[in-house]
């Protein structure tokens, strides 16, 4: 404590400062981390409404890190081990920035991975950008790579691209089965995720000259979905594109069945591509299509380690966070250093093909100057027997799509 | 026209459910003067009880609803004994923030115990609907509505006809006089609190067939429940029924007139408006 | 306490407050947490004008906070107006909003007022979420990155923020203390002790409380601008949040000691670091544990002394005096 050494303070105030120092001790730097290890910060929502996704993501990162360490760590740094520092962002951006600041100051992390929710990721990026520390993410709101930041790296496509793919792929799948879509419905939660992806859907429909007969946002955590489904029923749409998390996705599909609405529902990832979707809907899940950012069946040899260890299939956020971890390790390997400047240069320069990168579409990860992975293409998946099968685009598909109009 | 009747019907059914989950809140306020911000967490606990009764014992949530009531009733009595009774004479702000603390504890304890996933049950009637000409009546909504009506009727009988219920109302109206008549006010408070959270848990169980449960499900209901009880008049059980139906119908009709995104906006504006012109609520007596 | 001792203690506390950041890493975490302590202390102090002096428990102060944050940031993003200038229209808007919501609600008592303000905060959040053209909607709004400096209200290090937050806290506290000892303060106290008696001696109770609400709302809006420039990015859910803003500022004032001048400061010094400590200690263990511990602590404090930490301190002081 430097304050204690200042002259001219009485015995009592010195004592007071001493007490304050003791109280503040946990907030001061704990630089004494194990020699020969690389600290990597992991910030995820581990409590609150998004906890489930945060925990899935943490599992993915943990798996990737354990594999890297078991294979001998970072070889160009003499076999240094990856040491994960995990912190709970909660659902509050203020807290997310607090923990980011903490990991940077106290744990000397070389990079941060996270934070699933776009608004949390954007908040954290304001700190990492000013400190020049790389932030690797699978959040995909358009602003993330749209602000000209140099230290952000996004391993998946942007929301507007995903939304457009959700529409374009559907149009193509329907056409391949002989149906020409003319009228569609869009419904989305009024969050950053919902609104930006709905924007992509709208663009896709506009470009294709397809009429959007219903375009409705609804409040997150809606307790009664019926008004929405009533509107859908009277809209005359031939297909519906819901963009929502699990709770709403179950409500939407069930309410559609109740009212005898049989038009295809093409989900917007999130709630439509997790095991609980099939668990909650049973037979009604069968055949539901959804866009996805990646899928575990594209690299079964890699993702099996996840299902063996955690007991459920490797959901996309776990997979993509594992990719973040893997990309970071390869960049450190290439940079032969954890210096922020060298690390950033290595991340921008490389085409990463090893480890988990092979599980991404394109089989690799490569960032452009904005930090966007240019090789990532969204895929269309379909529920078959409680598994997600990639059905589009044709060059990566594992099976032919089934379209019921 | 058909759309309006349909919306009215949907609103009525969901409103019945809102009434039952909110009666507990108004009961606790009426008897002990405490606004329980953690009330919606007991809804969540009721939903989880029903979920596990379904997952482990194979019980339908509608059948498990009394079980959810019983489990949460006992828990509520314990919470009252450990915490609530200690702040009955404390300033209002301390009471409110004790229940806020309870809210944080219950939500995160549930996260630790049950995990973060969204859980839902599968029942045979979940995706069926009755057709009345051009109108649809969702079977899970109808079931929840009927269960709520039954529960409300039993509560009404209890409060009006039983000695215990009358003693409880006496404590609410005039604690001093009730005490002089030999009514044990601590016992009344404990029962009222336990009953209040138990009723909310019952409501949680009956809505499970058409919703999902997760530790944060209470967040979706907390402001809604307050709206219901204030519209009806804080402390008035009959008011909660009127408030519940009003909220259900406002939500449903506003969905026809405005974008669904504005559903809650419309509700809260009505709420503030009602408070401004009639603070004692639609049915409440002036305090 | 003797006045001389009181002033000496205040001077000492100020000296410590000024010295502390020089003992800490300027860009670091501890300084940031202290900034938040100061900011939330100031917010709780602004709340205290309505919640403590006027005795109206508002649970909707996030409304004014968010108006200030959005006000200055929208002016900055759309018209390039410096946040220092944007602060003023933001505060004016906050004051006007407080006036508008007070008109129908100020005559409500206790829980009714609390719930009405809670709903008002939600209304503002929903408006910001829906009116995407102005606010950026649910995707949030970013303060544009510019070359740091006092003129643009952006700094690379945490230390300048610390002193700005400290200044904000001092200003709000001075206003609070000023009101408390002014005619307005006496009227408010008269209303709190006995509303009908106050009215009988000619105090216009509703008008007096509305004045307090307007001052409180304007200050809260000003602090919203400070937050925006400190955090650089926010969305409607963040600045209009019930748990993270509305409930928290009230909680800080209450845990510290509602209606007192140093209560909010004590509350912030206690709650913000505790929450961080809980997060730091438990968040890599089981999910939810850190929040659970935080909630339990809150319950324990309120059960131990419903009038807050200050009262606990006072009791300890008296107990010490006896032995």
């Amino acid at each position: 404590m430097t304050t204690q050494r200042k002259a001219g303070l009485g015995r009592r105030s010195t004592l007071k400062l001493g007490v304050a120092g003791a109280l503040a001790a946990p907030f001061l730097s704990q630089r004494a981390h194990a020699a020969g290890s690389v600290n990597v910060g992991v910030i995820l929502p581990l409590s609150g409404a998004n906890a489930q996704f945060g925990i899935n993501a943490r599992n993915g990162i943990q798996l990737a890190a354990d594999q890297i360490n078991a294979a001998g760590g970072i070889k160009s740094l003499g076999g240094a081990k990856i040491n994960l520092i995990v912190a709970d962002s909660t659902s509050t951006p203020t807290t997310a920035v607090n923990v980011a600041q903490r990991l940077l100051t106290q744990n000397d992390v070389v990079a941060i991975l996270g934070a699933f929710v776009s608004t949390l990721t954007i908040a954290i990026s304001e700190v990492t950008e000013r400190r020049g520390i790389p932030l690797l993410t699978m959040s995909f709101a358009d602003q993330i790579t749209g602000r000209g930041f140099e230290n952000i790296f996004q391993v998946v496509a942007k929301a507007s691209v995903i939304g457009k793919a959700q529409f374009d792929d559907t149009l193509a799948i329907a056409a391949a089965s002989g149906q020409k879509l003319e009228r569609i419905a869009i419904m989305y939660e009024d969050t950053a995720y919902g609104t930006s992806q709905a924007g992509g859907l709208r663009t896709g429909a506009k470009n294709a000259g397809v009429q959007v007969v219903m375009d409705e946002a609804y409040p997150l955590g809606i307790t009664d979905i019926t008004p929405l489904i009533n509107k859908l029923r009277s809209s005359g749409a031939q297909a519906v594109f819901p963009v929502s998390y699990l709770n709403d996705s179950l409500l939407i599909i069930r309410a559609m069945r109740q009212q005898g609405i049989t038009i295809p529902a093409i989900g917007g990832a999130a709630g439509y591509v997790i095991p609980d979707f099939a668990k909650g809907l049973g037979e009604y899940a069968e055949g539901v299509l959804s866009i996805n950012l990646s899928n575990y069946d594209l690299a079964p040899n890699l993702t099996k380690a996840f299902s063996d260890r955690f007991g459920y299939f490797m959901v996309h956020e776990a997979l993509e966070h594992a990719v973040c971890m893997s990309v970071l390790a390869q960049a450190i390997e290439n940079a032969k250093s954890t210096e922020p400047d060298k690390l950033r240069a290595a991340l921008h320069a490389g085409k990463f093909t090893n480890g988990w990168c092979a599980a991404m579409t394109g089989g690799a990860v490569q960032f452009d100057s904005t930090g966007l992975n240019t090789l990532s293409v969204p895929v269309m998946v379909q529920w078959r027997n409680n598994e997600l099968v990639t059905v589009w685009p044709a060059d990566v598909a594992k099976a032919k799509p089934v379209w019921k109009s | 026209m058909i759309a309006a009747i349909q919306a009215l019907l949907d609103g009525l059914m969901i409103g019945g459910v809102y009434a039952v989950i909110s009666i507990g809140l108004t009961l606790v306020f009426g008897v002990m003067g405490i606004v329980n911000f953690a009330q919606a967490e007991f809804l969540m606990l009721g939903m989880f009880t029903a979920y596990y009764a379904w997952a482990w014992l194979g019980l339908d949530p509608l059948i498990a609803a009394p079980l959810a009531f019983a489990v949460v009733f006992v828990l509520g009595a314990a919470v009252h004994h450990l915490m609530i009774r200690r702040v009955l004479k404390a300033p209002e702000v301390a009471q409110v923030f004790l229940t806020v603390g309870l809210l944080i504890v219950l939500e995160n304890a549930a996260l630790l115990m049950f995990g973060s996933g969204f859980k839902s049950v599968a029942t045979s009637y979940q995706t069926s609907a009755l057709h009345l000409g051009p109108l649809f009546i969702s079977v899970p909504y109808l079931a929840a509505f009927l269960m709520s009506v039954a529960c409300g009727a039993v509560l009404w009988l209890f409060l009006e006809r039983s000695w215990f219920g009358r003693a409880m109302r006496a404590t609410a109206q005039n604690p001093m006089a009730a005490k002089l008549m030999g009514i044990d006010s601590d016992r009344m408070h404990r029962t009222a609190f336990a009953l209040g959270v138990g009723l909310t848990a019952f409501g949680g169980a009956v809505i499970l067939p058409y919703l999902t449960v997760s530790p944060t499900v209470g967040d979706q209901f907390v402001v809604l429940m307050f709206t219901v009880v204030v519209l009806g008049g804080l402390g008035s059980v009959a008011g909660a029924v009127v408030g519940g139906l009003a909220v259900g119908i406002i939500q449903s009709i506003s969905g026809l007139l405005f974008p669904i995104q504005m559903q809650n906006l419309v509700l809260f504006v009505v709420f503030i408006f009602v408070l401004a012109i009639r603070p004692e609520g639609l049915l409440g007596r002036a305090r | 306490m003797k006045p001389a001792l009181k002033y000496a203690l205040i001077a000492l506390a100020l000296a410590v407050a000024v010295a502390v950041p020089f003992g800490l890493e300027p860009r670091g975490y501890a300084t940031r947490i202290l900034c938040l302590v100061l900011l939330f202390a100031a917010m709780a102090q602004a709340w205290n004008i309505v919640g403590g002096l006027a005795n109206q428990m508002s649970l909707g102060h996030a409304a004014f906070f968010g108006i200030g944050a959005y006000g200055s940031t929208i002016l900055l993003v759309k018209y390039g107006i410096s946040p220092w200038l944007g602060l003023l229209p933001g505060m004016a808007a906050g004051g006007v909003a407080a006036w508008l919501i007070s008109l129908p609600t100020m005559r409500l008592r206790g829980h009714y007022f609390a719930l009405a303000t809670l709903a008002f905060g939600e209304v503002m959040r929903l408006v910001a979420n829906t009116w995407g053209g102005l606010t950026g909607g649910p995707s949030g709004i970013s303060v544009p990155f510019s070359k740091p400096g006092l003129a643009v209200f952006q700094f690379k290090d945490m230390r300048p923020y610390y002193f700005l937050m400290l200044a904000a806290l001092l200003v709000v506290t001075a206003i609070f203390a000023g009101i408390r000892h002014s005619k307005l303060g006496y009227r408010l106290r008269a209303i709190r002790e006995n509303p009908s008696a106050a009215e009988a001696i000619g105090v216009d109770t509703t008008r007096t409380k509305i004045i307090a609400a307007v001052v409180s709302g304007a200050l809260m809006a000003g602090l919203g601008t400070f937050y925006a420039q400190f955090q650089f990015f926010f969305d409607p859910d963040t600045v209009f949040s019930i748990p993270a803003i509305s409930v928290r500022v009230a909680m800080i004032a209450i845990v510290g000691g509602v209606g007192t001048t140093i209560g909010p400061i004590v509350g912030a010094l206690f709650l913000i670091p505790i929450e961080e400590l809980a997060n730091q200690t438990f968040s890599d263990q089981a999910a939810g544990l850190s929040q659970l511990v935080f909630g339990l602590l809150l319950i324990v404090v309120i059960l131990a002394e419903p009038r807050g930490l200050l009262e606990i301190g006072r009791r300890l002081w008296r107990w010490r005096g006896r032995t």
Side-chain angles (χ1 to χ4, degrees):
Chain A
M1 297 295 302
T2 49
T3 34
Q4 240 171 313
R5 271 185 251 117
K6 283 198 175 122
L9 289 172
R11 185 184 59 89
R12 197 160 153 200
S13 45
T14 317
L15 197 71
K16 265 196 183 155
L17 287 175
V19 173
L23 286 173
F27 293 100
L28 301 176
S29 184
Q30 300 156 348
R31 274 163 205 278
H33 55 78
S37 70
V38 173
N39 282 358
V40 174
V42 177
I43 304 179
L44 291 164
L46 298 174
S47 59
N50 289 304
Q52 185 188 19
F53 302 98
I55 292 164
N56 288 342
R58 186 191 60 191
N59 289 347
I61 293 174
Q62 190 72 54
L63 176 67
D66 289 352
Q67 289 173 340
I68 293 163
N69 288 344
I74 310 283
K75 296 188 183 72
S76 69
L77 295 182
K81 296 277 189 286
I82 301 286
N83 180 29
L84 298 178
I85 316 281
V86 180
D88 181 7
S89 63
T90 70
S91 298
T92 324
T94 318
T95 310
V97 174
N98 288 352
V99 297
Q101 197 81 258
R102 180 173 90 218
L103 297 185
L104 291 172
T105 322
Q106 297 195 356
N107 304 97
D108 292 326
V109 297
V110 303
I112 288 177
L113 314 179
F116 183 73
V117 181
S118 293
T119 48
L120 298 175
T121 307
I122 294 172
I124 294 169
S125 72
E126 296 284 350
V127 177
T128 50
E129 185 67 17
R130 283 170 173 78
R131 298 285 292 263
I133 299 284
L135 170 64
L136 286 86
T137 186
M138 57 66 67
S139 301
F140 50 81
D142 285 27
Q143 300 103 301
I144 290 176
T145 52
R147 292 167 299 162
F149 281 13
E150 290 174 354
N151 296 287
I152 192 140
F153 300 91
Q154 177 181 324
V155 298
V156 296
K158 290 192 285 195
S160 55
V161 172
I162 295 166
K164 191 165 176 301
Q166 187 183 353
F167 178 82
D168 292 349
D169 288 6
T170 305
L171 199 67
I173 291 170
S177 312
Q179 193 193 11
K180 191 175 178 312
L181 283 182
E182 285 163 345
R183 298 176 307 278
I184 61 153
I186 301 173
M187 48 172 87
Y188 57 100
E189 54 170 55
D190 65 349
T191 61
Y193 152 67
T195 43
S196 49
Q197 198 162 321
L201 280 166
R202 247 172 251 136
T203 314
K206 199 174 163 213
N207 292 351
V210 170
Q211 198 191 349
V212 180
V213 289
M214 173 184 172
D215 188 347
E216 196 87 38
Y218 63 86
L220 181 67
I222 189 168
T223 48
D224 174 21
I225 208 85
T226 338
L228 206 58
I229 305 302
N230 286 344
K231 273 195 185 174
L232 175 64
R233 185 155 48 97
S234 51
S235 73
Q238 296 165 307
V240 56
F241 294 83
V243 183
S244 66
Y245 279 111
L246 180 67
N247 181 54
D248 310 341
S249 66
L250 295 183
L251 302 193
I252 288 169
I253 303 286
R254 278 186 195 150
M256 280 175 66
R257 298 295 172 229
Q258 273 175 20
Q259 302 208 3
I261 303 173
T262 53
I263 58 169
I266 302 93
Y272 295 82
V273 290
I274 52 180
D276 285 343
F277 180 78
K279 225 192 261 171
L281 286 174
E283 55 177 316
Y284 299 113
E286 185 68 16
V288 171
L289 287 159
S290 175
I291 198 71
N292 206 352
L293 289 68
S294 65
N295 196 30
Y296 62 96
D297 73 346
L298 296 179
N301 51 332
L302 286 169
T303 54
K304 192 174 173 297
F306 185 94
S307 43
D308 286 349
R309 178 162 164 185
F310 297 107
Y312 56 100
F313 70 64
M314 191 167 197
V315 288
H316 78 89
E317 67 269 17
L319 174 55
E320 291 138 16
H321 274 98
V323 171
C324 288
M325 181 69 245
S326 183
V327 167
L328 177 67
Q330 291 171 53
I332 298 173
E333 195 75 78
N334 295 349
K336 301 184 179 60
S337 160
T338 57
E339 278 285 304
D341 292 341
K342 290 181 187 159
L343 193 50
R344 185 190 321 118
L347 279 164
H348 275 299
K351 181 174 182 179
F352 303 97
T353 51
N354 296 335
W356 284 89
C357 299
M360 295 298 287
T361 48
V365 171
Q366 188 168 29
F367 300 108
D368 65 10
S369 61
T370 67
L372 186 68
N373 175 10
T374 51
L375 303 176
S376 175
V377 180
V379 294
M380 191 62 84
V381 295
Q382 189 163 34
W383 281 101
R384 305 262 177 89
N385 284 327
N386 297 328
E387 295 284 338
L388 279 177
V389 180
T390 306
V391 295
W392 204 267
D395 55 329
V396 294
K398 298 286 172 189
K400 278 208 173 322
V402 176
W403 178 259
K404 288 189 208 133
S405 53
Chain B
M1 193 57 211
I2 295 295
I5 297 172
Q6 177 75 54
L8 207 63
L9 203 62
D10 292 339
L12 200 68
M13 281 192 294
I14 195 117
V17 174
Y18 290 165
V20 157
I21 62 175
S22 310
I23 282 177
L25 186 60
T26 210
L27 193 68
V28 170
F29 182 83
V31 175
M32 34 209 310
I34 283 200
V35 172
N36 181 14
F37 276 73
Q39 189 81 17
E41 302 310 308
F42 293 97
L43 178 90
M44 178 265 295
L45 292 176
M47 291 174 90
F48 268 117
T49 311
Y51 172 78
Y52 284 106
W54 173 80
W56 292 344
L57 309 174
L59 289 179
D60 188 281
L62 298 177
I63 295 164
L67 179 70
F69 172 86
V71 169
V72 174
F73 184 93
V74 172
L75 184 74
V79 166
H80 176 268
H81 188 74
L82 290 172
M83 299 174 197
I84 307 294
R85 77 188 166 94
R86 293 169 206 271
V87 294
L88 284 179
K89 293 201 172 61
E92 235 164 48
V93 287
Q95 298 172 345
V96 165
F97 282 90
L98 179 79
T99 62
V100 169
L102 184 61
L103 183 158
I104 299 174
V105 167
L106 289 177
E107 183 177 313
N108 288 286
L111 180 59
L112 284 167
M113 281 164 59
F114 308 130
S116 56
F118 293 85
K119 295 183 164 61
S120 80
V121 298
T123 66
S124 53
Y125 52 85
Q126 209 160 35
T127 49
S128 44
L130 304 175
H131 298 251
L132 285 178
L135 298 175
F136 283 83
I137 298 175
S138 148
V139 172
Y141 273 51
L142 184 65
F145 176 73
L146 293 177
M147 289 294 282
S148 301
V149 170
C151 176
V154 171
L155 179 74
W156 184 81
L157 280 177
F158 170 77
L159 287 178
E160 291 291 323
R161 297 293 156 84
S162 76
W163 177 87
F164 212 100
R166 278 187 299 221
M168 196 178 279
R169 286 190 298 136
T171 312
Q173 275 165 14
N174 192 337
M176 209 54 213
K179 207 166 187 178
L180 288 174
M181 300 299 288
I183 296 171
D184 176 354
S185 64
D186 187 51
R187 185 156 162 244
M188 287 303 139
H189 289 159
R190 187 167 60 241
T191 315
F193 189 83
L195 190 63
V197 295
L199 284 170
T200 299
F202 183 94
V206 300
I207 59 178
L208 188 59
Y210 66 84
L211 284 180
T212 63
V213 55
S214 72
T216 50
V217 73
D219 299 354
Q220 299 171 19
F221 285 93
V222 60
V223 182
L224 193 94
M225 286 163 74
F226 283 131
T227 313
V228 169
V229 296
V230 173
L231 279 185
L234 259 177
S236 156
V237 171
V241 174
V242 174
L245 296 177
V247 167
I249 291 170
I250 292 170
Q251 271 195 340
S252 193
I253 298 286
S254 73
L256 282 182
L257 305 175
F258 306 102
I260 288 164
Q261 197 181 7
M262 312 269 256
Q263 198 181 51
N264 290 338
L265 193 63
V266 173
L267 185 63
F268 295 142
V269 170
V270 171
F271 172 68
I272 294 175
F273 189 70
V274 169
L275 264 180
I277 56 169
R278 211 180 146 73
E280 66 276 17
L282 297 171
L283 281 195
R285 60 204 144 141
R287 276 178 176 273
Chain C
M1 218 184 279
K2 285 194 203 103
L5 181 62
K6 193 170 147 190
Y7 288 123
L9 277 178
I10 292 174
L12 180 69
L14 269 179
V16 171
V18 170
V20 158
F22 294 102
L24 299 166
E25 213 241 326
R27 307 173 84 179
Y29 165 62
T31 320
R32 179 181 162 88
I33 299 304
L34 287 175
C35 288
L36 282 175
V37 168
L38 295 171
L39 177 66
F40 272 92
M43 286 156 68
Q45 193 72 278
W47 179 90
N48 211 12
I49 296 172
V50 168
L53 296 182
N55 200 26
Q56 293 281 54
M57 183 175 32
S58 161
L59 290 180
H61 259 52
F64 316 122
F65 184 74
I67 286 172
Y70 269 106
S72 65
T73 308
I74 290 169
L75 289 174
L76 174 64
V77 172
K78 301 225 158 163
Y79 307 104
I81 293 171
S82 158
W84 287 115
L85 290 175
L87 189 65
L88 299 172
M91 287 178 75
V96 169
W99 179 67
L100 283 176
I101 187 61
S102 296
L103 282 179
T105 59
M106 231 356 140
R107 63 197 178 88
L108 300 174
R109 294 258 180 84
H111 296 113
Y112 287 95
F113 180 79
L115 295 175
T117 48
L118 188 76
F120 179 64
E122 277 297 278
V123 166
M124 292 312 298
R125 183 180 70 81
L126 293 169
V127 167
N129 221 30
T130 314
W131 196 355
L134 184 72
T135 61
S139 302
I141 190 165
S142 286
V143 172
F145 204 119
S146 56
K147 207 173 164 303
L150 188 61
V152 293
F153 204 149
Q154 274 195 35
F155 309 96
K156 211 172 164 196
D157 290 355
M158 282 289 138
R159 216 176 263 165
Y161 284 110
Y162 178 90
F163 289 107
L164 284 175
M165 300 293 184
L166 183 63
L169 173 61
L170 291 177
V171 168
V172 180
T173 304
I175 292 174
F176 176 85
I179 292 178
R180 198 177 172 203
H181 297 293
S182 72
K183 248 187 196 165
L184 182 64
Y186 287 114
R187 283 195 204 124
L188 286 168
R189 213 167 307 159
I191 295 167
R192 193 174 60 184
E193 301 304 331
N194 190 340
S196 20
E199 240 161 49
I201 58 166
V203 178
D204 183 345
T205 52
T206 307
R207 190 167 160 265
T208 310
K209 287 194 274 188
I210 289 179
I211 294 172
V214 169
V215 174
S216 175
L219 289 174
M220 197 73 184
L223 295 167
T225 300
F226 273 62
Y227 174 84
Q229 293 301 122
F230 176 67
Q231 179 81 6
F232 300 118
F233 168 80
F234 56 91
D235 60 353
D237 286 358
T238 308
V239 289
F240 293 112
S241 166
I242 295 175
I245 307 292
S246 286
V247 164
R248 176 162 319 193
V249 293
M251 185 149 70
I252 286 169
I254 287 154
V255 165
V258 69
T260 62
T261 311
I262 59 167
I265 301 170
V266 172
L269 272 172
F270 176 74
L271 279 181
I272 305 281
I274 288 279
E275 196 173 10
E276 274 309 307
L277 261 181
N279 185 304
Q280 185 174 1
T281 318
F282 301 113
S283 76
D284 56 348
Q285 297 174 22
L289 191 59
S290 61
Q291 284 290 304
L292 180 76
V293 170
F294 177 71
L296 281 175
L297 254 167
L298 186 67
I299 292 177
V300 167
V301 169
I302 291 175
L303 285 181
E305 175 51 69
R307 278 166 296 181
L309 287 172
L310 219 55
E311 194 59 34
I312 295 182
R314 237 174 247 153
R315 273 208 255 156
L316 285 176
W317 183 262
R318 263 182 259 140
W319 172 77
R320 203 195 76 145
R322 267 204 303 267
T323 50

